[in-house]
Amino acid sequence: MTTPTAPSHTPPAATTTSPPRARRRWLGPLLLRLHFYAGVFVGPFIVVAAISGGLYALTPQIERVVYAHELTAASPDAAALPLADQVVAAREHVGQDETLVAVRPAPGPGATTRVMFAGTDLGPSETRAVFVDPGTAEVRGELTTYGTSGALPLRTWIDQLHRSLHLGDPGRLYSELAASWLGIIALSGLAMWVVQFRRTRRRRDMLRPGTGRTPYARSRSRHLAVGIWVMAGALFLSATGITWSQHGGANVTDLRGALGWSTPAVSTALDGGGDGAGDEHAGHTAAVTPSVSSGTYAPGAFDSVLSVAQEVNVNTGLVEIRPPAEPGTAWVVQEIQRSYPTEVDAVAIDGTTMQVTDRVDFAEFGLIAKLARWGIDLHMGSMFGLPHQIVLLLLAVGIVAMVVWGYTMWWQRRPTRTQHRPGAPPARGVLRQVPWWGTVAVLAVAAAVGLFLPLLGVTLAAFLLVDLLLAWVGRRRDASRRRAAGLEVGA
C-alpha cells in the first residue's frame, strides 16, 4: 500500500522589489514653518501697525471734535469775503516775514480757510496753518498741518506712530516689515486653510469661529475662521502699505517709472506763453506781479488764479492754491478731494499773464496711476466716508485678534499644563525634506523677493538659516542622546 505523499507547497519566490516609498509632503510643512516664524517674530509689528491704522481711520471725526474751534467758522451764514482779505488777515497774524506756501479756501459753509506758511522749526511736509473765518476774516487759530491730507497734530501723531513709531527713517523699517510679512502670513495661511478645507468633512467649522472641544481647538478655529474672513483686506493692506515703505516702496516707484506708469504731475515751468487752453483765459483777470524771493504775493492773485482754474478743470470745493515756488515758475491750483469720485485735477497758471500753461486731469490718468491713487485712498479710509472707516477698523481688530490667537495656540501647545514655557513649534528642518527642484524654486523665489523687497528678503533668508541651524542642533542633540543610551546598555 502506497502511502500518499503530502502535496508539496513550494513557498513563493521572495520578491525583490521593495514597497513604494510614501511621497513626502514638504510644501505644507514649509509653509507652516514659515507661517510660524513670521507670526512669532513679526506679529508684534503687525499688531502695532493694525492698532495705529485702525485709529488713523477714525481721525477725521476725532479732529472735528478736538479742533472744532479752528475748523468751524463763527459766522457760517455770512457771505465769504475775497481770498485777498483772508490772506491779509492771516499775514497780519503771523507777520510779514513768513513765507506763504499755499491757501486752501473754505470747502463749504461753516468751514474755515487755511492759509499755510513755511517755517524753519517745522518738519518735512509740515506747514503752519492759520485758520480764517471766510465771512469775517477773523483768525480762529493756528495749527501745524502735515502732508496733502492736511492732517492736524493729533492725526499726524497717529500717522507717525503707524509709519515709523516716531523714530524717523530707522523706525520705518518696522512698518515695512509689518506690511511685507502680513502678505506672506496671509498667503501661507490661505494655502494651509485651502488644504485643510479640502480634507475635512466639517467645512462649516472652518468658517465660523469658536468651535472645538478643547481650548486649543477653539483658539485654532477662531484663528482659521477670522483669518479667512479678513484675508482679502489683509492682502490689500499689505500690497498698498509696501508702496509707502522705505526700500520696497522705492523699487515700486522705480518700476512704475520704467514702465511708464507714473502718476502725471502738472508742470510749473514757464516757457514764455501758455498753451491753447491757456490762451482762452488771457485777459480775463488783471495781471499780478508776485515777489517770489520774499514769499509775498499780491493778495488778489489768489482770487485771480482760482477764477481762471475754475473755468478750466477745477470744480470741487476742496482746493489748494500754491504760489510759484521759485522765479520762472507757475501758480498751481490743485483739487484735493480724495473721496469718491476722485477729484485731483490740477492746472498751472502764469501769474503775470493769467494764461494756463499746463493742466492734468484725473480722467486722463493711465489705469495703473488711477489704481495707485485709489489704493492709497482706500488704505487711508478716505474714499467712502464713515462706512469705509468702520470697515478698516473692523479689519484692524480682526488682524489683531488673529495674531493674539496665534500666540495663544503657541502657548497652548506646550507639553504640559504645569510647564510655564512657550508651546512646541512645528517640526524643524523642513528644508532638508525638500527635493532638489523644490529647493531651487524656493531659492529663486527668495532671490526675486529679496531684489524687489530687500528687507523682506533679508528676514526671509534669516528665517531659513535659523531653520537649518535648529535642525542641525537637533540632530546633534539626538545623536548624543543615542550614544549615551548605548553606553548605558553596554554597561
Side-chain angles (χ1 to χ4, degrees):
M1 182 172 178
T2 305
T3 305
T5 59
S8 62
H9 297 279
T10 305
T15 179
T16 59
T17 59
S18 58
R21 180 188 299 179
R23 185 175 57 181
R24 293 185 186 179
R25 300 183 182 274
W26 60 270
L27 183 57
L30 179 62
L31 292 176
L32 178 60
R33 188 71 174 173
L34 186 63
H35 192 82
F36 167 78
Y37 273 132
V40 169
F41 294 108
V42 188
F45 297 151
I46 294 176
V47 167
V48 173
I51 292 175
S52 57
L55 289 175
Y56 184 89
L58 300 179
T59 50
Q61 285 74 20
I62 299 174
E63 279 187 338
R64 284 197 284 270
V65 175
V66 176
Y67 305 110
H69 185 269
E70 290 84 356
L71 296 174
T72 306
S75 52
D77 298 328
L81 297 171
L83 286 177
D85 296 340
Q86 302 177 55
V87 170
V88 168
R91 183 165 289 284
E92 290 178 350
H93 175 77
V94 300
Q96 297 299 320
D97 295 333
E98 297 292 329
T99 301
L100 195 156
V101 294
V103 172
R104 295 188 176 187
T112 52
T113 295
R114 299 189 188 190
V115 184
M116 305 159 74
F117 298 88
T120 56
D121 59 337
L122 300 176
S125 301
E126 290 185 343
T127 56
R128 179 185 180 187
V130 177
F131 296 82
V132 181
D133 187 328
T136 63
E138 171 196 355
V139 173
R140 301 283 290 169
E142 66 173 77
L143 294 168
T144 300
T145 60
Y146 175 79
T148 305
S149 62
L152 299 179
L154 177 61
R155 197 197 320 187
T156 301
W157 191 91
I158 296 176
D159 175 72
Q160 293 302 325
L161 175 66
H162 181 71
R163 180 183 177 89
S164 65
L165 297 176
H166 295 281
L167 298 175
D169 284 343
R172 293 181 63 186
L173 299 178
Y174 119 84
S175 59
E176 185 164 355
L177 277 174
S180 302
W181 277 103
L182 177 61
I184 299 297
I185 292 173
L187 289 175
S188 59
L190 175 62
M192 293 185 292
W193 187 92
V194 170
V195 171
Q196 184 169 351
F197 186 79
R198 294 175 60 183
R199 293 176 179 174
T200 186
R201 295 181 179 180
R202 303 180 60 181
R203 295 181 175 179
R204 288 185 299 176
D205 292 345
M206 298 186 65
L207 295 172
R208 54 185 184 183
T211 58
R213 296 181 179 179
T214 65
Y216 174 79
R218 289 191 290 272
S219 298
R220 186 171 180 272
S221 172
R222 292 162 184 163
H223 185 78
L224 290 173
V226 173
I228 201 63
W229 284 111
V230 303
M231 180 65 59
L235 290 174
F236 171 79
L237 292 179
S238 173
T240 52
I242 287 173
T243 63
W244 273 307
S245 63
Q246 189 172 11
H247 301 288
N251 290 335
V252 171
T253 300
D254 292 342
L255 177 63
R256 289 182 57 193
L259 297 176
W261 293 345
S262 298
T263 299
V266 66
S267 172
T268 59
L270 297 178
D271 56 5
D275 57 17
D279 293 339
E280 299 176 2
H281 306 285
H284 281 199
T285 54
V288 294
T289 305
S291 172
V292 177
S293 59
S294 64
T296 59
Y297 306 87
F302 291 90
D303 293 286
S304 299
V305 296
L306 179 59
S307 177
V308 172
Q310 289 172 336
E311 295 180 21
V312 180
N313 62 354
V314 173
N315 54 15
T316 182
L318 290 170
V319 173
E320 181 175 273
I321 307 167
R322 299 193 298 271
E326 57 186 19
T329 58
W331 290 67
V332 173
V333 183
Q334 169 85 54
E335 294 176 336
I336 54 175
Q337 176 177 310
R338 299 298 176 78
S339 58
Y340 190 83
T342 303
E343 296 282 358
V344 290
D345 300 344
V347 59
I349 301 169
D350 186 339
T352 60
T353 63
M354 287 295 111
Q355 291 182 342
V356 174
T357 59
D358 193 22
R359 62 181 288 178
V360 170
D361 299 271
F362 182 74
E364 298 178 2
F365 280 23
L367 176 61
I368 301 300
K370 286 182 176 179
L371 291 177
R373 175 74 273 154
W374 289 329
I376 292 173
D377 295 337
L378 285 170
H379 188 107
M380 296 177 66
S382 57
M383 282 280 279
F384 301 110
L386 185 59
H388 185 181
Q389 296 167 283
I390 293 175
V391 169
L392 285 180
L393 180 62
L394 293 176
L395 179 58
V397 171
I399 291 174
V400 171
M402 270 203 312
V403 175
V404 171
W405 282 322
Y407 279 114
T408 303
M409 291 163 55
W410 183 31
W411 175 258
Q412 290 170 337
R413 278 171 59 90
R414 67 190 189 277
T416 66
R417 293 289 180 180
T418 59
Q419 296 180 359
H420 300 289
R421 59 184 180 85
R428 57 181 177 264
V430 175
L431 287 181
R432 296 179 59 250
Q433 304 176 13
V434 180
W436 69 267
W437 55 268
T439 302
V440 172
V442 169
L443 293 177
V445 170
V449 168
L451 288 175
F452 195 70
L453 302 173
L455 192 58
L456 175 60
V458 169
T459 50
L460 176 60
F463 287 166
L464 295 178
L465 288 175
V466 167
D467 183 74
L468 290 175
L469 178 61
L470 290 177
W472 179 79
V473 171
R475 290 197 306 272
R476 294 289 300 271
R477 184 173 59 246
D478 293 342
S480 299
R481 289 174 178 174
R482 286 195 298 269
R483 284 196 299 269
L487 291 175
E488 291 179 0
V489 171

